[in-house]
Amino acid sequence: MNNNCQGPQAERRSSYRKPASSSAAEAAQTVMDMEEREYFVHREVLDELRLDAVAQKRMRPFKSTLGERMKESLRCSVPRLKQTVMSWVPVLDWLPHYSFRENFMGDLISGCSVSVMHLPQGMAYAPLAALRPVYGLYTSFYPVLVYFIFGTSRHISIGTFAVISMMVGSVTQRLAPEQNFIVNGTNGSKVDTEARDAARVQIACALALLTGIFQILLGLVRFGFMVTYLSQPLIRAYTTASAWQVATSQLKYLFGVSTGQYSGPLSAIYTIVDICHLLPNTKFPELTIGLISLAVLIVIKEINSCYRQKLLVPIPIEIILIIIVTLIVHYCGLTSKYDLDVVGEIPNGLMVPHVPDTTLFSMMIGDAFAVAIVSYTINISLARTFALKHAYKVDNNQELIALGLSNTVGGFFQCYSVTSSMSRSLVQESTGGKTQVAGIISSIVVLITILRIGSLFEDLPKVVLSAVVFVNLKGMFMQMKDVYTLWKTSKTDLLVWLVTFTCTILLNLDIGLAASVGFSLLMIIFRLQLPHYSILGLIPATDLYLDIETYKEAKEIPGIKIFRSSATICHTNAEMYLDALQKKIGFDIGNLLMAKKKQAAELKHKRQKEKKEAKKKNKPGRHLFKGTFSLKKPEIREAGFPAGQTHMNSADFRLRETSTEGPDMGQVNWAYQHDTSTLNLDSSHGDDVHHDGEENRRACGSHTHSIILDISTTNFMDIVTVNTLKNIFRDFEELHLDVYLAGCQACVVKQLETAGFFLETISKSRLFVTVHDAVLFILMKHKQTDFILDDSGNTQM
């Protein structure tokens, strides 16, 4: 058998001159050129057994025992020890090779630029965590040093971030609400702010420690791949909803009102309702300062964006604005004159480290795990983006460990949970940063601020920090455009986006994340449960088999049904696979088998009855003789046979039935030949009923004699799938239909072998490399040599 599949030719037959003016002309020429290409393939038809011989399949390598693998992993050598230490502490690998001439100037400029963002963002994001601004400065210092040692990304900026700050704030406010710190004084009851702030710092530090422990443990068990289960629409919708939550929490500073402290589901709604009720009490001096600050920040940031190619570094408008407003408020005495809400005391110097309160762990396990997942997801997304842009690799698991160590160490130094910031990371990369040395430089600037300069910002109005938060949320607000994009591209992803956004807004950050992840996994299950099933047909003059419902030129091959599922066949959809197979090929296996057994039993009973009557009446005309029936004329008319026919071969005696199982099946003539195992003729004559193969195949309707299951999309086989395939082979064989598998991957074949799929009745000769191989084998077997697979006759039988 020759299989010369003509498509493109081995050599290009013509050359052309590339158009210089029009891309459309170039595309048209490319299409024409593709049509002129042809190739020829000449090989034998390959089943699985022949493939093993031709491709020289390797023997399965010997696997060492668990003890031997443990011994090998614990074996120590100097090169191995060096490699292990450098993989765990990446700074030892890249810092000795650091080039001052090429990298230091870029890192210096980048570090200074990032530091002037760390200061305002650190002070602005700390109130989101229900902490004083100085703790935002601490969080911008210690974790950066830790990540410098253990991180693998060269461009991300670790520190405070609005979404994580908001998640931490929901925990601190829930475990340390203001009503727990109300004390009675001479002027009535009031909140003991010192005790409240101290309690919330303990909660935030304990949360950071537990978050870091979770991340370190997940990194040690190589669980960095878990981020792949959080789809991009889910992450973007979650951060967008979190941005709206953050903006809602900052409205009270913009209007100068004091709202109630809410946490849990619908807290954002309650906050907005409170603010609406308090609008008549708006402090116009604070509103004026806030609006002016917003206008200045927006204008200058737009200038930075428009002229980023011409500016050496972005204009540090945030720190400039903070300095100018602080000086104006301080020297004009606006704090006492208009009762402005200012930052307050910022102590100089570093705090003494202390061990977080571990007794709080039991009350924040779920929150800590949520913060661990979200912070790592944001971190690794940014790290991968910059690594792809600058052609280097980041280690997912090492990033998880580095972030965990940053949180763990920070928990001992009054820091709350951290992650990378998109705005700071973009500045660090765009201003020439090449390594994490930029992070060290920014930490030095932050340290100087903490030691000497921090107290100068005590008169800074909180509304200015709110303006900084609002403007830095712009990138996440712009993600609302995803709704339009997903509407055009993927309705399923749009549904995930909308559900995630709604759950996060209404149920708060922690419960919203859990609900969103659950819904996303549910959508994955639905997609696996609802694959696309199709019957394939051959495109003329090719060896391509495509869905006949999608492609007009795809034509079914007479006698052969080719069935394919778009998803892996597993225990969750194996039953659906069988149902779809029966529907597509046009009949119900179970009903046919039951009907066959019933007809065989009735025929057997009738023959036994006739035999007894013949013996009793001594009528030899009714005896079976050499596989033929001799009937009288009245019996012939009663049976519905032609009047002139008095003898007929038993192979021609068929039962007829009409099946209308579905709209796709139509009228089918089920004509079963009687199974010799169930129909025994008179033993005195010594002849069995003969079964003609062609008649049996016509008995199953539409002259179908073979079914090919294309399982090229299946990448694993579980025991349920194996049993389903066994049942398909067995049941179709009873209906005299041959079943073949095509496109089996090597790992699938191995799993079939392990599961005992290949028995005496099912051999590897039923497995073919491609659908085309299976089709050619079937055509040769059934001697359909007059069937040509392409117009030019290149496939010859």
Side-chain angles (χ1 to χ4, degrees):
M1 182 185 300
N2 295 329
N3 179 19
N4 298 337
C5 302
Q6 180 172 344
Q9 282 188 24
E11 294 184 25
R12 292 178 51 179
R13 303 296 177 84
S14 62
S15 61
Y16 64 93
R17 183 175 300 173
K18 181 177 178 180
S21 58
S22 173
S23 59
E26 181 180 354
Q29 182 63 49
T30 302
V31 172
M32 295 175 57
D33 194 59
M34 289 294 295
E35 292 177 351
E36 295 176 357
R37 295 179 185 173
E38 295 180 343
Y39 72 86
F40 298 91
V41 177
H42 181 84
R43 64 171 176 83
E44 62 179 299
V45 175
L46 296 175
D47 59 18
E48 191 64 31
L49 292 173
R50 185 58 184 154
L51 176 66
D52 293 347
V54 171
Q56 298 183 6
K57 184 177 180 180
R58 300 178 187 273
M59 298 297 294
R60 184 186 302 179
F62 175 75
K63 288 188 176 181
S64 57
T65 63
L66 178 61
E68 291 174 341
R69 291 199 298 269
M70 288 291 295
K71 187 184 297 183
E72 179 65 23
S73 63
L74 296 175
R75 186 172 296 163
C76 184
S77 63
V78 174
R80 186 169 185 174
L81 178 62
K82 181 180 178 181
Q83 180 183 2
T84 303
V85 171
M86 287 187 173
S87 64
W88 283 84
V89 189
V91 69
L92 299 178
D93 183 30
W94 64 265
L95 189 58
H97 307 290
Y98 182 80
S99 174
F100 277 86
R101 178 178 297 179
E102 296 179 3
N103 300 330
F104 183 73
M105 185 55 63
D107 287 338
L108 178 62
I109 297 174
S110 175
C112 294
S113 302
V114 171
S115 66
V116 298
M117 296 184 67
H118 263 303
L119 298 176
Q121 289 185 7
M123 290 189 292
Y125 292 158
L128 294 176
L131 302 174
R132 291 161 58 192
V134 68
Y135 295 100
L137 297 179
Y138 297 153
T139 306
S140 302
F141 173 64
Y142 292 105
V144 178
L145 300 177
V146 178
Y147 186 83
F148 168 79
I149 299 172
F150 297 99
T152 60
S153 176
R154 303 173 189 173
H155 296 94
I156 62 173
S157 175
I158 292 292
T160 58
F161 187 61
V163 174
I164 301 301
S165 301
M166 191 72 183
M167 296 180 73
V168 174
S170 66
V171 180
T172 56
Q173 292 179 16
R174 188 185 78 242
L175 298 182
E178 287 191 351
Q179 55 264 31
N180 291 357
F181 302 94
I182 296 178
V183 295
N184 295 322
T186 56
N187 296 327
S189 60
K190 64 177 183 179
V191 177
D192 187 353
T193 56
E194 291 187 3
R196 180 200 64 187
D197 292 344
R200 289 180 175 179
V201 169
Q202 288 184 348
I203 294 170
C205 292
L207 181 65
L209 176 60
L210 186 56
T211 299
I213 291 173
F214 276 134
Q215 291 172 331
I216 292 172
L217 292 177
L218 292 174
L220 290 176
V221 298
R222 319 301 290 175
F223 210 62
F225 69 90
M226 68 180 178
V227 71
T228 58
Y229 288 94
L230 301 178
S231 64
Q232 185 182 22
L234 186 148
I235 296 172
R236 291 174 68 87
Y238 183 79
T239 54
T240 304
S242 301
W244 285 103
Q245 290 264 25
V246 171
T248 301
S249 69
Q250 296 300 295
L251 289 175
K252 61 182 180 181
Y253 298 112
L254 182 62
F255 291 102
V257 295
S258 179
T259 62
Q261 298 291 331
Y262 300 104
S263 61
L266 302 180
S267 59
I269 306 299
Y270 296 144
T271 301
I272 293 176
V273 172
D274 253 11
I275 292 173
C276 292
H277 287 160
L278 294 172
L279 282 180
N281 301 327
T282 299
K283 293 181 180 179
F284 287 98
E286 293 193 9
L287 180 61
T288 303
I289 295 173
L291 293 178
I292 294 174
S293 300
L294 281 172
V296 172
L297 289 170
I298 291 173
V299 170
I300 301 302
K301 282 186 172 288
E302 286 299 317
I303 292 175
N304 286 338
S305 177
C306 294
Y307 297 97
R308 61 179 178 272
Q309 301 295 338
K310 299 181 179 180
L311 294 174
L312 179 61
V313 294
I315 301 173
I317 184 57
E318 293 171 332
I319 191 66
I320 293 174
L321 177 66
I322 286 175
I323 293 173
I324 292 175
V325 174
T326 302
L327 292 174
I328 293 174
V329 171
H330 177 74
Y331 288 104
C332 294
L334 299 182
T335 302
S336 57
K337 187 174 181 180
Y338 295 106
D339 191 24
L340 298 179
D341 188 8
V342 296
V343 169
E345 181 184 0
I346 299 179
N348 288 331
L350 299 174
M351 301 289 289
V352 177
H354 72 278
V355 179
D357 187 2
T358 57
T359 60
L360 298 172
F361 283 179
S362 60
M363 294 182 285
M364 58 177 64
I365 292 178
D367 301 288
F369 189 78
V371 173
I373 298 299
V374 174
S375 61
Y376 171 67
T377 301
I378 296 171
N379 186 79
I380 196 63
S381 298
L382 285 174
R384 285 179 173 177
T385 300
F386 290 117
L388 182 64
K389 181 177 181 180
H390 294 277
Y392 65 91
K393 292 183 178 181
V394 292
D395 187 334
N396 292 351
N397 296 297
Q398 183 60 30
E399 282 295 300
L400 194 52
I401 293 174
L403 193 61
L405 288 172
S406 299
N407 283 317
T408 301
V409 174
F412 289 92
F413 291 91
Q414 290 78 49
C415 302
Y416 62 90
S417 302
V418 298
T419 188
S420 54
S421 166
M422 183 182 301
S423 59
R424 292 196 307 270
S425 299
L426 288 173
V427 169
Q428 181 167 323
E429 185 263 347
S430 62
T431 54
K434 300 295 180 59
T435 67
Q436 280 299 329
V437 170
I440 291 294
I441 294 172
S442 69
S443 297
I444 294 174
V445 177
V446 173
L447 177 61
I448 295 173
T449 303
I450 294 173
L451 294 178
R452 298 297 179 188
I453 307 176
S455 59
L456 301 179
F457 297 106
E458 292 180 355
D459 289 329
L460 174 65
K462 289 183 179 179
V463 68
V464 177
L465 297 179
S466 296
V468 172
V469 172
F470 275 119
V471 174
N472 281 288
L473 293 176
K474 175 192 171 184
M476 286 182 279
F477 287 147
M478 296 299 292
Q479 293 176 163
M480 292 293 294
K481 294 189 296 184
D482 290 352
V483 174
Y484 177 78
T485 303
L486 294 176
W487 174 262
K488 295 293 185 181
T489 56
S490 174
K491 300 296 191 298
T492 303
D493 288 333
L494 174 62
L495 183 60
V496 171
W497 199 101
L498 294 175
V499 169
T500 301
F501 182 84
T502 305
C503 289
T504 306
I505 289 289
L506 298 180
L507 303 179
N508 215 351
L509 299 177
D510 47 359
I511 303 176
L513 176 64
S516 304
V517 172
F519 182 79
S520 179
L521 294 177
L522 192 62
M523 292 302 296
I524 295 175
I525 294 174
F526 281 155
R527 287 180 173 182
L528 291 176
Q529 285 292 97
L530 300 174
H532 176 69
Y533 299 104
S534 56
I535 293 293
L536 305 184
L538 177 66
I539 301 298
T542 72
D543 60 348
L544 302 178
Y545 294 84
L546 305 176
D547 187 357
I548 60 175
E549 296 179 357
T550 304
Y551 297 90
K552 295 181 180 180
E553 291 299 318
K555 306 297 181 183
E556 288 191 69
I557 301 174
I560 302 175
K561 293 285 186 179
I562 307 170
F563 180 73
R564 182 174 66 189
S565 169
S566 62
T568 292
I569 314 168
C570 58
H571 66 278
T572 62
N573 58 14
E575 185 176 352
M576 296 177 59
Y577 181 85
L578 179 58
D579 293 341
L581 172 62
Q582 296 177 84
K583 181 179 180 180
K584 288 292 184 180
I585 63 178
F587 55 85
D588 189 308
I589 301 175
N591 290 343
L592 291 179
L593 292 176
M594 290 177 62
K596 180 180 178 181
K597 291 179 181 179
K598 181 179 179 181
Q599 296 287 355
E602 290 177 355
L603 183 60
K604 182 177 181 181
H605 177 72
K606 182 177 180 180
R607 290 189 174 185
Q608 288 177 349
K609 183 177 179 180
E610 290 177 350
K611 183 178 178 182
K612 290 179 181 180
E613 291 178 356
K615 287 182 178 180
K616 183 177 180 180
K617 297 180 180 180
N618 195 17
K619 294 181 179 180
R622 288 183 178 270
H623 285 187
L624 298 176
F625 179 74
K626 292 185 179 181
T628 61
F629 295 100
S630 178
L631 303 177
K632 295 180 179 179
K633 290 185 178 181
E635 294 168 336
I636 293 173
R637 288 193 298 271
E638 181 181 353
F641 298 115
Q645 180 176 343
T646 58
H647 291 78
M648 63 182 299
N649 191 283
S650 62
D652 293 327
F653 185 74
R654 301 193 300 273
L655 300 175
R656 297 181 182 271
E657 179 183 4
T658 300
S659 175
T660 57
E661 292 297 327
D664 298 332
M665 298 180 183
Q667 297 290 330
V668 182
N669 181 12
W670 307 121
Y672 297 120
Q673 292 296 342
H674 305 304
D675 194 340
T676 56
S677 62
T678 58
L679 299 180
N680 296 322
L681 298 179
D682 190 356
S683 58
S684 62
H685 295 89
D687 291 328
D688 295 327
V689 176
H690 175 70
H691 299 281
D692 184 84
E694 190 65 28
E695 292 289 338
N696 289 333
R697 283 186 288 273
R698 283 203 300 268
C700 292
S702 304
H703 301 282
T704 300
H705 52 69
S706 301
I707 295 176
I708 301 174
L709 303 180
D710 181 2
I711 57 174
S712 57
T713 59
T714 298
N715 55 16
F716 71 92
M717 284 279 182
D718 56 25
I719 190 63
V720 176
T721 306
V722 173
N723 290 335
T724 300
L725 291 178
K726 284 183 179 179
N727 294 337
I728 290 174
F729 272 78
R730 180 199 63 201
D731 294 342
F732 279 98
E733 287 295 336
E734 288 191 28
L735 298 175
H736 310 289
L737 284 166
D738 297 327
V739 183
Y740 303 89
L741 301 180
C744 298
Q745 302 181 46
C747 60
V748 173
V749 176
K750 180 180 177 181
Q751 291 166 358
L752 290 173
E753 292 174 342
T754 305
F757 177 77
F758 300 108
L759 305 174
E760 294 181 358
T761 56
I762 305 176
S763 66
K764 282 191 175 182
S765 61
R766 296 290 189 95
L767 272 68
F768 288 88
V769 178
T770 65
V771 172
H772 196 58
D773 288 282
V775 169
L776 293 178
F777 174 82
I778 294 169
L779 295 178
M780 181 183 67
K781 176 181 177 181
H782 292 274
K783 298 181 173 26
Q784 292 179 251
T785 54
D786 57 337
F787 185 80
I788 304 299
L789 289 183
D790 61 25
D791 297 337
S792 57
N794 288 312
T795 300
Q796 302 173 1
M797 305 295 295

